[in-house]
Amino acid sequence: MKNIIFIAPPAAGKGTQSELISNKYHIPHISTGDILRKVMKEDSEIGEYVLEVISSGNLVKDEIMYSLIEKRLGEKDCQEGYILDGFPRNVEQAKKYDEILDHLGQELGYVIALEIDEKLLAKRITGRRVCEDCGTIYNINEPSETPEIESTCDICGGKLYQRNDDNLESFKNRYQVYLEKTGPLKDYYEKKKVLYKVNGNQSIDEIFEDIVALLEEHK
Ligand code: AMP
């Protein structure tokens, strides 16, 4: 399987789709947000810095991202393809990613842009809940994505939590950052002829069907 990266606004469903693809094609799902949320819990200077940046909805410094990414993509399980969810997030990171790929002898693969209405995003942001043990994502504003028992993961019984950046105030900034910094990546990758746009206003299953169809069509 070729490598996959996502370009999508906050709460568009890239984490959920990445997990589905990871299970179907047996390639690792690497979420920079998840990596940073672990760093954020560390009792260190960098932990404090990451906590502050994530809570505000801004982007963590590029240099920190580069060392995390290069190390992770060099690991053995990434040799047969991976899904990179959350990186690159701006044009500088995209250029650096080209260099990292060169260095590791890997190819860009597919760039999937999930396109979704802003109104729907705000609803998803406030309803999102995540299992603290297995990372499964729920949404209490969507009947089909609500856990059977309140605040409890259907899969492992773990406790569900709300991310500290999943509130409307932080969302406004995250969405603005997306429009200004991440959105331009669509042009960047369109020119490289690796961009595939998917309608993110559909159900989880419908989005996944569209993604699988494009992956199969452009093998
Ligand atoms: P996500 O889980 O992808 O929504 O990411 C959550 C937060 O982590 C973002 O709002 C940023 O603060 C930070 N983050 C994730 N990926 C990156 C990245 N590639 N560059 C800078 N900051 C990032």
Side-chain angles (χ1 to χ4, degrees), residues 14 32-33 36-37 54 58-60 65 86-87 89 93 163 165 174:
K14 64 187 164 59
T32 49
L36 291 169
R37 277 184 286 278
I54 289 192
N58 291 319
L59 295 182
V60 168
M65 299 313 302
F87 184 93
R89 213 83 165 204
Q93 291 188 2
R163 282 171 41 171
D165 56 348
R174 286 160 72 198

Side-chain angles (χ1 to χ4, degrees), residues 35-209:
I35 296 174
L36 291 169
R37 277 184 286 278
K38 281 199 190 112
V39 174
M40 176 176 101
K41 288 188 190 143
E42 287 170 13
D43 185 14
S44 64
E45 215 173 291
I46 175 166
E48 266 177 46
Y49 161 77
V50 171
L51 172 65
E52 198 186 306
V53 176
I54 289 192
S55 310
S56 69
N58 291 319
L59 295 182
V60 168
K61 279 189 205 132
D62 289 345
E63 287 64 34
I64 295 181
M65 299 313 302
Y66 299 155
S67 56
L68 290 174
I69 286 294
E70 190 147 15
K71 185 163 164 275
R72 182 63 187 91
L73 298 187
E75 285 175 24
K76 212 168 161 223
D77 64 337
C78 291
Q79 284 169 9
E80 303 299 324
Y82 54 77
I83 305 141
L84 188 49
D85 151 13
F87 184 93
R89 213 83 165 204
N90 57 35
V91 174
E92 291 72 34
Q93 291 188 2
K95 288 183 180 159
K96 180 72 180 185
Y97 182 49
D98 290 339
E99 284 175 30
I100 294 174
L101 288 170
D102 260 1
H103 186 209
L104 296 172
Q106 295 178 355
E107 297 208 346
L108 194 51
Y110 311 89
V111 179
I112 301 176
L114 282 184
E115 306 207 292
I116 176 166
D117 293 344
E118 185 184 347
K119 267 194 206 136
L120 204 53
L121 292 174
K123 188 176 162 208
R124 289 209 182 156
I125 282 273
T126 52
R128 176 157 60 184
R129 299 291 182 274
V130 186
C131 173
E132 63 181 13
D133 293 334
C134 72
T136 301
I137 302 165
Y138 296 86
N139 202 304
I140 59 168
N141 291 340
E142 293 287 342
S144 63
E145 298 173 37
T146 302
E148 275 173 29
I149 304 169
E150 203 187 325
S151 306
T152 307
C153 178
D154 291 348
I155 315 264
C156 75
K159 208 169 145 230
L160 305 187
Y161 75 98
Q162 184 169 24
R163 282 171 41 171
N164 65 342
D165 56 348
D166 276 351
N167 55 71
L168 284 179
E169 198 188 330
S170 178
F171 168 71
K172 274 187 206 147
N173 192 34
R174 286 160 72 198
Y175 191 65
Q176 216 39 47
V177 169
Y178 168 77
L179 291 180
E180 282 168 23
K181 306 209 162 142
T182 314
L185 290 181
K186 287 197 234 171
D187 280 349
Y188 185 85
Y189 288 118
E190 193 134 46
K191 286 188 188 125
K192 290 181 182 274
K193 301 200 170 21
V194 288
L195 185 78
Y196 300 92
K197 292 182 182 168
V198 172
N199 175 5
N201 295 310
Q202 310 176 89
S203 69
I204 291 177
D205 291 347
E206 287 165 337
I207 297 172
F208 185 53
E209 268 173 34

Side-chain angles (χ1 to χ4, degrees), residues 17-33:
Q17 293 300 327
S18 297
E19 264 316 289
L20 293 170
I21 299 169
S22 169
N23 291 336
K24 182 172 170 70
Y25 293 102
H26 310 292
I27 53 174
H29 166 205
I30 301 160
S31 154
T32 49

